[in-house]
Amino acid sequence: LEAIAARARSLLGHGGGGSGASSDGNDAKAADGFEAQGLANMAWAFATLRVADGPLLEALSSSARRRIAYFDGQNISNMAWSFAKVSFADTRRLFAQYGSDDRAEGTFQS
């Protein structure tokens, strides 16, 4: 599991996805190659395995914050559950901007 977490950190931290999308993080799929659902699924998978890798969780949180406008209710729920499951305290910071006016159209309305 440590090798998998290290690889995930590498992909999230160094833009290894090669998607060709903008590297500014404003696209649904940014330079790291992950969409909102992919980030939420990755967080869920590591939390289910109880992998509390701080640098990995920080990388997931950072990547998610750059794309929070593209998260729907299921993605938000999965990220929140995942962070709570491994006692990662960044949930408030991650979702602080979720309700802002600059979110993309068609996303979950609270």
Side-chain angles (χ1 to χ4, degrees):
L1 287 175
E2 289 180 29
I4 294 169
R7 179 66 176 144
R9 282 192 308 271
S10 174
L11 289 173
L12 289 166
H14 301 295
S19 70
S22 168
S23 63
D24 65 5
N26 291 327
D27 294 327
K29 183 189 279 188
D32 60 21
F34 294 101
E35 295 179 356
Q37 183 176 350
L39 291 170
N41 289 349
M42 188 184 313
W44 177 88
F46 281 110
T48 298
L49 296 171
R50 296 178 189 231
V51 175
D53 182 299
L56 171 61
L57 296 168
E58 184 57 44
L60 281 166
S61 176
S62 176
S63 192
R65 281 193 310 272
R66 290 191 306 269
R67 276 182 236 40
I68 199 71
Y70 298 96
F71 275 59
D72 63 16
Q74 186 69 51
N75 303 145
I76 293 287
S77 176
N78 286 352
M79 291 294 289
W81 177 89
S82 299
F83 285 175
K85 184 75 172 176
V86 295
S87 300
F88 184 61
D90 194 45
T91 307
R92 181 174 288 183
R93 185 172 67 147
L94 173 62
F95 301 120
Q97 66 192 51
Y98 183 69
S100 69
D101 292 336
D102 61 346
R103 291 181 28 229
E105 290 183 30
T107 57
F108 177 76
Q109 299 291 321
S110 55

XYZ file of all heavy atoms in Angstrom:
812
model
N 0.812 -1.203 0.000
C 0.000 0.000 0.000
C 0.853 1.265 0.000
O 0.445 2.272 -0.571
C -0.933 0.013 1.205
C -2.105 -0.954 1.161
C -2.878 -0.929 2.468
C -2.998 -0.677 0.006
N 2.007 1.206 0.644
C 2.869 2.387 0.677
C 3.336 2.773 -0.726
O 3.394 3.959 -1.064
C 4.067 2.147 1.590
C 3.700 2.115 3.050
C 4.908 1.880 3.934
O 6.029 2.275 3.548
O 4.730 1.311 5.016
N 3.645 1.775 -1.548
C 4.080 2.061 -2.915
C 2.944 2.669 -3.737
O 3.168 3.575 -4.541
C 4.588 0.779 -3.582
N 1.732 2.194 -3.529
C 0.573 2.735 -4.248
C 0.315 4.173 -3.813
O 0.073 5.045 -4.640
C -0.666 1.851 -4.028
C -0.437 0.478 -4.670
C -1.920 2.515 -4.600
C -1.474 -0.547 -4.302
N 0.386 4.423 -2.508
C 0.190 5.784 -2.001
C 1.272 6.711 -2.539
O 0.991 7.855 -2.926
C 0.183 5.789 -0.477
N 2.511 6.235 -2.602
C 3.606 7.050 -3.133
C 3.371 7.386 -4.603
O 3.613 8.512 -5.043
C 4.941 6.324 -2.952
N 2.902 6.414 -5.367
C 2.610 6.659 -6.783
C 1.478 7.667 -6.944
O 1.529 8.566 -7.788
C 2.260 5.339 -7.487
C 1.912 5.493 -8.940
C 3.091 5.952 -9.767
N 2.696 5.991 -11.166
C 3.112 6.893 -12.018
N 3.973 7.802 -11.652
N 2.687 6.878 -13.249
N 0.455 7.533 -6.127
C -0.672 8.482 -6.180
C -0.197 9.889 -5.827
O -0.574 10.858 -6.488
C -1.786 8.034 -5.243
N 0.647 10.012 -4.787
C 1.198 11.329 -4.426
C 1.967 11.907 -5.597
O 1.867 13.096 -5.899
C 2.121 11.218 -3.210
C 1.418 11.113 -1.898
C 2.387 11.306 -0.732
N 3.570 10.463 -0.790
C 3.663 9.245 -0.284
N 2.633 8.695 0.324
N 4.786 8.572 -0.373
N 2.732 11.062 -6.268
C 3.521 11.515 -7.401
C 2.622 12.034 -8.521
O 2.874 13.097 -9.094
C 4.382 10.356 -7.908
O 5.046 10.714 -9.083
N 1.594 11.296 -8.835
C 0.669 11.723 -9.897
C -0.038 13.021 -9.536
O -0.216 13.898 -10.376
C -0.362 10.630 -10.179
C 0.168 9.391 -10.883
C -0.923 8.320 -10.934
C 0.643 9.729 -12.280
N -0.454 13.144 -8.306
C -1.170 14.346 -7.879
C -0.244 15.548 -7.755
O -0.632 16.665 -8.070
C -1.868 14.101 -6.537
C -3.058 13.167 -6.596
C -3.451 12.721 -5.194
C -4.226 13.826 -7.296
N 0.968 15.305 -7.328
C 1.880 16.409 -7.059
C 2.702 16.864 -8.237
O 3.181 17.987 -8.261
N 2.852 16.003 -9.249
C 3.763 16.342 -10.335
C 3.108 16.362 -11.696
O 3.800 16.400 -12.707
C 4.942 15.371 -10.351
C 5.713 15.389 -9.076
N 6.403 16.491 -8.643
C 5.850 14.452 -8.122
C 6.967 16.221 -7.486
N 6.646 14.996 -7.148
N 1.769 16.309 -11.762
C 1.083 16.419 -13.052
C 1.398 15.308 -14.008
O 1.563 15.541 -15.188
N 1.446 14.061 -13.525
C 1.819 12.948 -14.375
C 0.705 12.380 -15.220
O 0.889 11.377 -15.878
N -0.464 13.021 -15.236
C -1.589 12.466 -15.972
C -1.518 12.655 -17.467
O -2.068 11.882 -18.227
N -0.844 13.721 -17.915
C -0.681 13.935 -19.345
C -1.978 14.147 -20.094
O -2.118 13.734 -21.225
N -2.955 14.792 -19.488
C -4.253 14.954 -20.137
C -4.263 16.043 -21.196
O -5.173 16.122 -21.990
C -5.312 15.283 -19.082
O -5.102 16.590 -18.575
N -3.265 16.935 -21.147
C -3.243 18.031 -22.091
C -4.130 19.189 -21.658
O -4.250 20.169 -22.348
N -4.786 19.079 -20.511
C -5.641 20.144 -20.013
C -4.787 21.255 -19.426
O -3.610 21.087 -19.160
C -6.605 19.603 -18.957
N -5.405 22.382 -19.209
C -4.731 23.521 -18.622
C -4.141 23.164 -17.269
O -4.749 22.468 -16.488
C -5.737 24.668 -18.461
O -5.204 25.685 -17.664
N -2.955 23.683 -16.975
C -2.321 23.381 -15.701
C -2.748 24.339 -14.606
O -2.262 24.249 -13.494
C -0.800 23.416 -15.860
O -0.393 24.720 -16.227
N -3.653 25.282 -14.883
C -4.068 26.221 -13.848
C -5.108 25.643 -12.909
O -5.485 26.267 -11.932
C -4.577 27.533 -14.447
C -5.851 27.374 -15.260
O -6.424 26.262 -15.291
O -6.280 28.372 -15.857
N -5.584 24.430 -13.154
C -6.505 23.770 -12.255
C -7.951 24.148 -12.452
O -8.812 23.652 -11.751
N -8.247 25.010 -13.405
C -9.624 25.449 -13.590
C -10.427 24.556 -14.509
O -11.620 24.736 -14.652
C -9.651 26.892 -14.112
C -9.177 27.861 -13.054
O -9.402 27.646 -11.874
N -8.500 28.899 -13.473
N -9.802 23.615 -15.168
C -10.524 22.680 -16.016
C -11.051 21.525 -15.183
O -10.513 21.201 -14.137
C -9.601 22.122 -17.102
C -9.167 23.207 -18.085
O -9.973 24.121 -18.341
O -8.040 23.120 -18.568
N -12.110 20.884 -15.673
C -12.666 19.735 -14.963
C -11.600 18.663 -14.786
O -11.533 18.002 -13.770
C -13.861 19.169 -15.722
N -10.757 18.494 -15.781
C -9.634 17.558 -15.685
C -8.377 18.393 -15.881
O -8.071 18.830 -16.967
C -9.726 16.478 -16.747
C -8.627 15.434 -16.635
C -8.587 14.497 -17.820
C -9.621 13.431 -17.683
N -9.469 12.387 -18.731
N -7.658 18.624 -14.811
C -6.480 19.480 -14.880
C -5.248 18.667 -15.249
O -5.347 17.504 -15.614
C -6.286 20.198 -13.543
N -4.094 19.273 -15.127
C -2.847 18.669 -15.589
C -2.546 17.335 -14.920
O -1.857 16.505 -15.493
C -1.694 19.637 -15.363
N -3.046 17.100 -13.715
C -2.758 15.819 -13.071
C -3.614 14.701 -13.652
O -3.415 13.532 -13.338
C -2.896 15.891 -11.555
C -4.281 16.286 -11.071
O -5.261 16.138 -11.819
O -4.378 16.735 -9.927
N -4.583 15.035 -14.512
C -5.366 14.027 -15.213
C -6.572 13.506 -14.469
O -7.264 12.629 -14.960
N -6.862 14.035 -13.302
C -7.973 13.533 -12.500
C -9.167 14.473 -12.545
O -9.023 15.678 -12.398
C -7.558 13.342 -11.036
C -6.535 12.278 -10.852
C -5.204 12.597 -10.685
C -6.901 10.942 -10.857
C -4.250 11.608 -10.521
C -5.968 9.946 -10.692
C -4.630 10.279 -10.525
N -10.342 13.897 -12.739
C -11.587 14.652 -12.640
C -12.083 14.554 -11.201
O -11.543 13.803 -10.392
C -12.618 14.067 -13.602
C -12.220 14.223 -15.056
C -13.229 13.618 -16.006
O -14.211 13.008 -15.546
O -13.014 13.746 -17.215
N -13.137 15.287 -10.897
C -13.691 15.306 -9.539
C -14.025 13.896 -9.053
O -13.673 13.513 -7.934
C -14.929 16.202 -9.485
N -14.685 13.109 -9.888
C -15.064 11.762 -9.472
C -13.835 10.894 -9.214
O -13.806 10.114 -8.267
C -15.962 11.093 -10.508
C -16.417 9.710 -10.052
C -17.388 9.068 -11.018
O -17.877 9.710 -11.945
N -17.687 7.813 -10.790
N -12.818 11.043 -10.023
C -11.594 10.283 -9.823
C -10.914 10.618 -8.511
O -10.418 9.735 -7.802
N -10.893 11.906 -8.162
C -10.312 12.315 -6.887
C -11.117 11.754 -5.721
O -10.553 11.237 -4.753
C -10.260 13.839 -6.799
C -9.278 14.524 -7.732
C -9.506 16.023 -7.719
C -7.853 14.179 -7.337
N -12.449 11.857 -5.822
C -13.310 11.343 -4.758
C -13.163 9.832 -4.622
O -13.101 9.292 -3.507
C -14.769 11.720 -5.020
N -13.084 9.135 -5.753
C -12.921 7.678 -5.716
C -11.580 7.287 -5.108
O -11.490 6.314 -4.355
C -13.041 7.083 -7.121
C -14.450 7.132 -7.646
O -15.405 7.416 -6.938
N -14.592 6.872 -8.932
N -10.530 8.027 -5.447
C -9.221 7.728 -4.883
C -9.217 7.948 -3.373
O -8.713 7.113 -2.615
C -8.136 8.587 -5.537
C -6.739 8.165 -5.128
S -5.393 9.206 -5.766
C -5.798 9.384 -7.472
N -9.800 9.058 -2.937
C -9.888 9.325 -1.497
C -10.675 8.221 -0.801
O -10.271 7.730 0.265
C -10.541 10.687 -1.256
N -11.783 7.817 -1.397
C -12.612 6.755 -0.815
C -11.834 5.450 -0.705
O -11.882 4.757 0.309
C -13.873 6.552 -1.660
C -14.733 5.442 -1.173
C -15.717 5.518 -0.242
C -14.671 4.073 -1.586
N -16.274 4.275 -0.051
C -15.646 3.372 -0.859
C -13.885 3.380 -2.494
C -15.862 2.004 -1.012
C -14.093 2.016 -2.651
C -15.074 1.349 -1.913
N -11.109 5.093 -1.765
C -10.366 3.837 -1.777
C -9.307 3.808 -0.682
O -9.199 2.822 0.064
C -9.721 3.623 -3.144
N -8.531 4.880 -0.562
C -7.505 4.900 0.474
C -8.118 4.920 1.872
O -7.610 4.272 2.791
C -6.553 6.077 0.266
C -5.531 5.822 -0.803
C -5.584 6.500 -2.006
C -4.522 4.885 -0.615
C -4.646 6.254 -3.003
C -3.573 4.629 -1.597
C -3.640 5.321 -2.799
N -9.232 5.635 2.045
C -9.884 5.661 3.352
C -10.463 4.300 3.711
O -10.384 3.869 4.869
C -10.984 6.719 3.374
N -11.028 3.616 2.733
C -11.575 2.278 2.967
C -10.475 1.327 3.450
O -10.707 0.475 4.311
C -12.241 1.734 1.694
O -13.328 2.600 1.355
C -12.776 0.330 1.887
N -9.278 1.504 2.908
C -8.129 0.695 3.327
C -7.446 1.270 4.568
O -6.439 0.735 5.025
C -7.119 0.591 2.181
C -7.613 -0.143 0.944
C -6.615 0.004 -0.203
C -7.859 -1.613 1.255
N -7.981 2.363 5.081
C -7.464 3.061 6.273
C -6.017 3.506 6.109
O -5.202 3.392 7.017
C -7.659 2.219 7.520
C -9.135 2.002 7.796
C -9.375 1.151 8.985
N -10.794 0.833 9.023
C -11.554 1.000 10.071
N -11.059 1.462 11.177
N -12.821 0.689 10.006
N -5.739 4.021 4.925
C -4.420 4.576 4.635
C -4.470 6.056 5.005
O -5.054 6.862 4.290
C -4.046 4.392 3.149
C -2.723 5.087 2.828
C -3.988 2.920 2.796
N -3.877 6.404 6.123
C -3.876 7.780 6.613
C -2.530 8.428 6.291
O -1.795 8.847 7.177
C -4.163 7.810 8.106
N -2.216 8.506 5.028
C -0.966 9.070 4.540
C -1.146 10.578 4.401
O -1.794 11.050 3.468
C -0.631 8.411 3.197
C 0.676 8.877 2.606
O 0.812 10.092 2.334
O 1.546 8.027 2.396
N -0.588 11.337 5.327
C -0.765 12.784 5.356
C -0.431 13.485 4.051
O -1.240 14.271 3.539
N 0.745 13.228 3.478
C 1.075 13.889 2.208
C 0.121 13.525 1.074
O -0.215 14.368 0.247
C 2.498 13.403 1.917
C 3.064 13.102 3.272
C 1.908 12.540 4.056
N -0.331 12.289 1.035
C -1.297 11.884 0.011
C -2.625 12.617 0.218
O -3.206 13.149 -0.727
C -1.538 10.374 0.040
C -2.686 9.870 -0.840
C -2.436 10.183 -2.307
C -2.910 8.394 -0.617
N -3.098 12.666 1.448
C -4.363 13.349 1.729
C -4.270 14.836 1.425
O -5.215 15.427 0.893
C -4.777 13.106 3.186
C -5.079 11.647 3.518
C -5.199 11.455 5.029
C -6.339 11.181 2.816
N -3.130 15.434 1.733
C -2.930 16.853 1.409
C -2.928 17.062 -0.104
O -3.503 18.024 -0.605
C -1.632 17.366 2.022
C -1.411 18.840 1.801
C -2.524 19.723 2.319
O -3.009 19.508 3.445
O -2.923 20.660 1.586
N -2.299 16.149 -0.843
C -2.285 16.252 -2.308
C -3.699 16.104 -2.872
O -4.089 16.835 -3.787
C -1.356 15.195 -2.904
N -4.479 15.153 -2.335
C -5.871 14.992 -2.772
C -6.675 16.254 -2.476
O -7.437 16.731 -3.311
C -6.512 13.794 -2.070
C -6.184 12.428 -2.624
C -6.603 11.338 -1.651
C -6.860 12.229 -3.967
N -6.500 16.789 -1.275
C -7.226 17.988 -0.881
C -6.860 19.174 -1.769
O -7.736 19.904 -2.245
C -6.918 18.309 0.588
O -7.530 19.505 0.974
N -5.588 19.348 -2.021
C -5.128 20.456 -2.859
C -5.681 20.336 -4.279
O -6.170 21.316 -4.850
C -3.594 20.467 -2.875
O -3.123 21.458 -3.740
N -5.612 19.144 -4.831
C -6.123 18.916 -6.178
C -7.639 19.139 -6.229
O -8.154 19.735 -7.172
C -5.764 17.498 -6.626
O -5.996 17.333 -7.989
N -8.340 18.676 -5.198
C -9.791 18.859 -5.147
C -10.165 20.333 -5.019
O -11.114 20.790 -5.654
C -10.378 18.058 -3.991
N -9.425 21.077 -4.213
C -9.725 22.512 -4.055
C -9.618 23.243 -5.380
O -10.391 24.160 -5.647
C -8.789 23.151 -3.019
C -9.198 22.876 -1.601
C -8.462 23.779 -0.605
N -7.026 23.826 -0.781
C -6.164 22.988 -0.217
N -6.596 22.011 0.552
N -4.873 23.130 -0.410
N -8.680 22.836 -6.218
C -8.525 23.505 -7.522
C -9.705 23.222 -8.442
O -9.930 23.962 -9.392
C -7.219 23.062 -8.186
C -5.987 23.599 -7.487
C -4.729 23.381 -8.309
N -4.509 22.005 -8.713
C -3.808 21.110 -8.000
N -3.302 21.441 -6.834
N -3.632 19.894 -8.477
N -10.448 22.131 -8.200
C -11.570 21.745 -9.060
C -12.898 21.675 -8.335
O -13.821 21.056 -8.831
C -11.300 20.364 -9.648
C -10.467 20.356 -10.847
C -10.364 18.911 -11.273
N -9.067 18.331 -11.412
C -8.005 18.475 -10.660
N -7.990 19.183 -9.635
N -6.897 17.873 -10.942
N -13.016 22.295 -7.194
C -14.212 22.130 -6.362
C -15.483 22.519 -7.115
O -16.555 21.978 -6.843
C -14.067 22.909 -5.033
C -15.049 22.405 -3.991
C -14.207 24.411 -5.255
C -14.741 21.046 -3.452
N -15.386 23.406 -8.075
C -16.572 23.826 -8.838
C -17.186 22.684 -9.630
O -18.358 22.735 -9.995
C -16.213 24.971 -9.789
N -16.422 21.646 -9.895
C -16.903 20.520 -10.686
C -17.387 19.348 -9.838
O -17.796 18.330 -10.376
C -15.799 20.040 -11.645
C -15.415 21.123 -12.616
C -14.333 21.947 -12.377
C -16.179 21.347 -13.757
C -13.998 22.960 -13.253
C -15.858 22.352 -14.636
C -14.762 23.162 -14.381
O -14.442 24.172 -15.251
N -17.341 19.492 -8.532
C -17.787 18.418 -7.639
C -19.300 18.430 -7.529
O -19.910 19.487 -7.364
C -17.183 18.595 -6.249
C -15.811 18.015 -6.097
C -14.766 18.446 -6.895
C -15.561 17.044 -5.155
C -13.501 17.919 -6.766
C -14.295 16.499 -5.006
C -13.263 16.939 -5.816
N -19.905 17.246 -7.602
C -21.340 17.148 -7.352
C -21.540 16.636 -5.920
O -20.572 16.444 -5.183
C -22.029 16.252 -8.384
C -21.570 14.800 -8.359
O -20.932 14.360 -7.376
O -21.863 14.079 -9.331
N -22.778 16.427 -5.530
C -23.078 16.011 -4.167
C -22.413 14.703 -3.777
O -21.924 14.562 -2.648
N -22.362 13.744 -4.694
C -21.729 12.456 -4.390
C -20.230 12.621 -4.175
O -19.655 12.030 -3.262
C -21.994 11.458 -5.519
C -21.491 10.059 -5.210
C -22.292 9.404 -4.106
O -23.507 9.377 -4.162
N -21.603 8.885 -3.106
N -19.584 13.431 -5.011
C -18.148 13.665 -4.854
C -17.847 14.341 -3.523
O -16.907 13.949 -2.823
C -17.608 14.545 -5.990
C -17.841 13.995 -7.379
O -18.068 14.766 -8.299
N -17.781 12.686 -7.557
N -18.647 15.336 -3.192
C -18.478 16.044 -1.915
C -18.636 15.072 -0.751
O -17.825 15.036 0.176
C -19.515 17.187 -1.780
C -19.232 18.282 -2.796
C -19.569 17.735 -0.365
C -18.028 19.125 -2.490
N -19.687 14.272 -0.806
C -19.963 13.308 0.250
C -18.824 12.308 0.398
O -18.377 12.010 1.511
C -21.276 12.580 -0.046
O -21.525 11.575 0.893
N -18.334 11.782 -0.722
C -17.241 10.801 -0.669
C -15.961 11.403 -0.103
O -15.261 10.751 0.676
C -16.976 10.220 -2.056
C -18.041 9.249 -2.492
O -18.914 8.863 -1.735
N -17.984 8.858 -3.751
N -15.644 12.631 -0.496
C -14.444 13.271 0.036
C -14.586 13.516 1.531
O -13.657 13.228 2.295
C -14.164 14.592 -0.692
C -13.743 14.448 -2.135
S -12.150 13.659 -2.424
C -11.024 14.914 -1.849
N -15.721 14.030 1.954
C -15.933 14.302 3.375
C -15.861 13.016 4.194
O -15.204 12.967 5.241
C -17.273 14.997 3.586
N -16.524 11.965 3.730
C -16.497 10.686 4.440
C -15.066 10.150 4.508
O -14.616 9.681 5.561
C -17.401 9.664 3.751
C -17.346 8.320 4.409
C -18.116 7.885 5.435
C -16.453 7.241 4.093
N -17.759 6.605 5.782
C -16.740 6.186 4.975
C -15.450 7.073 3.144
C -16.052 4.977 4.940
C -14.754 5.870 3.112
C -15.068 4.841 4.010
N -14.368 10.225 3.395
C -13.011 9.693 3.328
C -12.085 10.398 4.305
O -11.316 9.760 5.027
C -12.461 9.839 1.907
O -13.261 9.122 0.995
N -12.154 11.722 4.326
C -11.289 12.470 5.229
C -11.655 12.193 6.684
O -10.781 12.076 7.539
C -11.363 13.966 4.929
C -10.619 14.372 3.676
C -10.685 15.666 3.227
C -9.856 13.461 2.947
C -9.998 16.065 2.083
C -9.168 13.848 1.799
C -9.231 15.161 1.375
N -12.941 12.080 6.962
C -13.365 11.769 8.337
C -12.905 10.375 8.744
O -12.478 10.165 9.886
C -14.880 11.885 8.457
N -12.979 9.430 7.835
C -12.616 8.038 8.126
C -11.165 7.911 8.584
O -10.849 7.102 9.449
C -12.866 7.168 6.889
C -12.618 5.711 7.069
C -13.717 5.082 7.870
C -13.580 3.576 7.882
N -14.579 2.959 8.729
N -10.281 8.708 8.008
C -8.863 8.639 8.374
C -8.438 9.820 9.253
O -7.249 10.079 9.432
C -7.955 8.531 7.126
C -8.206 7.227 6.398
C -8.138 9.725 6.210
N -9.419 10.529 9.794
C -9.180 11.648 10.719
C -8.299 12.743 10.113
O -7.437 13.306 10.782
C -8.565 11.145 12.026
O -9.422 10.225 12.642
N -8.530 13.040 8.847
C -7.812 14.129 8.187
C -8.608 15.400 8.416
O -9.769 15.507 8.017
C -7.651 13.832 6.699
C -6.832 14.850 5.953
C -5.511 15.084 6.300
C -7.364 15.546 4.888
C -4.742 15.999 5.606
C -6.610 16.460 4.180
C -5.292 16.686 4.538
N -8.004 16.377 9.030
C -8.729 17.556 9.511
C -8.878 18.670 8.489
O -9.206 19.790 8.854
C -8.037 18.095 10.765
N -8.687 18.406 7.212
C -8.727 19.465 6.206
C -10.100 19.660 5.571
O -10.252 20.451 4.665
C -7.703 19.171 5.112
C -7.457 20.382 4.220
O -7.311 21.488 4.758
O -7.438 20.205 3.003
N -11.117 18.978 6.049
C -12.428 19.029 5.412
C -12.983 20.442 5.352
O -13.504 20.864 4.325
C -13.414 18.094 6.133
O -12.827 16.798 6.206
C -14.724 18.003 5.396
N -12.874 21.191 6.417
C -13.414 22.557 6.426
C -12.731 23.426 5.373
O -13.381 24.149 4.633
C -13.265 23.193 7.803
C -13.830 24.605 7.838
C -13.808 25.167 9.202
N -14.839 24.472 9.969
C -15.142 24.751 11.211
N -14.492 25.680 11.843
N -16.079 24.107 11.832
N -11.425 23.351 5.297
C -10.686 24.146 4.310
C -11.033 23.702 2.892
O -11.196 24.514 1.990
C -9.185 24.032 4.550
C -8.372 24.920 3.649
C -6.923 24.920 4.045
N -6.326 23.626 3.805
C -5.064 23.451 3.452
N -4.280 24.493 3.317
N -4.582 22.253 3.249
N -11.157 22.395 2.696
C -11.470 21.865 1.368
C -12.796 22.403 0.847
O -12.908 22.809 -0.294
C -11.511 20.337 1.400
C -11.992 19.647 0.122
C -11.067 19.960 -1.047
C -12.077 18.153 0.339
N -13.810 22.416 1.693
C -15.140 22.770 1.233
C -15.542 24.210 1.521
O -16.658 24.602 1.238
C -16.161 21.798 1.813
C -15.866 20.379 1.412
C -15.608 19.417 2.367
C -15.818 20.019 0.078
C -15.312 18.119 1.993
C -15.517 18.723 -0.299
C -15.264 17.776 0.657
N -14.633 25.011 2.048
C -14.959 26.406 2.365
C -15.409 27.171 1.129
O -16.295 28.012 1.203
C -13.765 27.094 3.005
N -14.820 26.879 -0.020
C -15.169 27.617 -1.233
C -16.246 26.921 -2.046
O -16.635 27.420 -3.090
C -13.919 27.842 -2.073
C -13.323 26.572 -2.635
C -11.945 26.807 -3.198
O -11.092 27.376 -2.553
N -11.744 26.375 -4.420
N -16.773 25.791 -1.583
C -17.761 25.049 -2.368
C -19.010 25.876 -2.640
O -19.557 25.803 -3.717
C -18.133 23.724 -1.691
C -19.090 22.908 -2.532
C -18.665 22.330 -3.711
C -20.413 22.761 -2.164
C -19.526 21.606 -4.504
C -21.286 22.029 -2.952
C -20.836 21.453 -4.112
O -21.691 20.750 -4.893
N -19.446 26.679 -1.707
C -20.662 27.460 -1.875
C -20.451 28.800 -2.551
O -21.394 29.570 -2.686
N -19.234 29.088 -3.015
C -18.972 30.393 -3.614
C -19.681 30.538 -4.959
O -20.080 29.572 -5.585
C -17.464 30.601 -3.789
O -16.961 29.731 -4.770
N -19.820 31.756 -5.401
C -20.564 32.066 -6.624
C -19.844 31.666 -7.896
O -20.446 31.652 -8.963
C -20.862 33.567 -6.683
C -21.840 33.985 -5.608
O -22.616 33.123 -5.138
O -21.825 35.161 -5.250
N -18.557 31.343 -7.830
C -17.808 31.052 -9.057
C -17.839 29.577 -9.433
O -17.084 29.136 -10.285
C -16.369 31.542 -8.942
C -15.598 30.888 -7.822
O -16.232 30.244 -6.964
O -14.372 31.031 -7.794
N -18.738 28.800 -8.859
C -18.862 27.385 -9.187
C -19.432 27.219 -10.580
O -20.169 28.055 -11.080
C -19.776 26.701 -8.175
C -19.137 26.629 -6.807
C -19.991 25.945 -5.781
N -20.873 24.981 -6.356
C -22.172 24.914 -6.085
N -22.719 25.753 -5.273
N -22.912 23.986 -6.632
N -19.099 26.111 -11.209
C -19.612 25.814 -12.553
C -21.098 25.518 -12.514
O -21.615 25.047 -11.512
C -18.844 24.612 -13.128
N -21.774 25.789 -13.607
C -23.205 25.493 -13.692
C -23.423 23.994 -13.631
O -22.605 23.212 -14.073
C -23.766 26.031 -14.995
C -23.814 27.537 -15.035
C -24.441 28.024 -16.326
O -25.299 27.304 -16.874
O -24.083 29.111 -16.765
N -24.550 23.585 -13.087
C -24.925 22.187 -13.074
C -24.384 21.402 -11.896
O -24.556 20.207 -11.844
N -23.712 22.062 -10.962
C -23.198 21.336 -9.813
C -24.235 21.303 -8.714
O -25.221 22.018 -8.733
C -21.893 21.968 -9.288
O -22.145 23.335 -8.974
C -20.781 21.855 -10.304
N -23.990 20.477 -7.741
C -24.909 20.273 -6.618
C -25.212 21.579 -5.910
O -24.329 22.361 -5.630
C -24.270 19.282 -5.644
C -25.066 19.029 -4.408
C -26.190 18.225 -4.454
C -24.704 19.597 -3.212
C -26.916 17.982 -3.321
C -25.430 19.365 -2.073
C -26.541 18.546 -2.134
N -26.468 21.818 -5.651
C -26.896 23.018 -4.903
C -27.268 22.606 -3.499
O -28.077 21.733 -3.309
C -28.097 23.669 -5.578
C -27.824 24.142 -6.989
C -26.877 25.320 -7.015
O -26.961 26.193 -6.167
N -25.968 25.329 -7.968
N -26.656 23.239 -2.511
C -26.962 22.899 -1.119
C -28.202 23.624 -0.635
O -28.680 24.538 -1.237
C -25.784 23.225 -0.219
O -25.404 24.566 -0.353
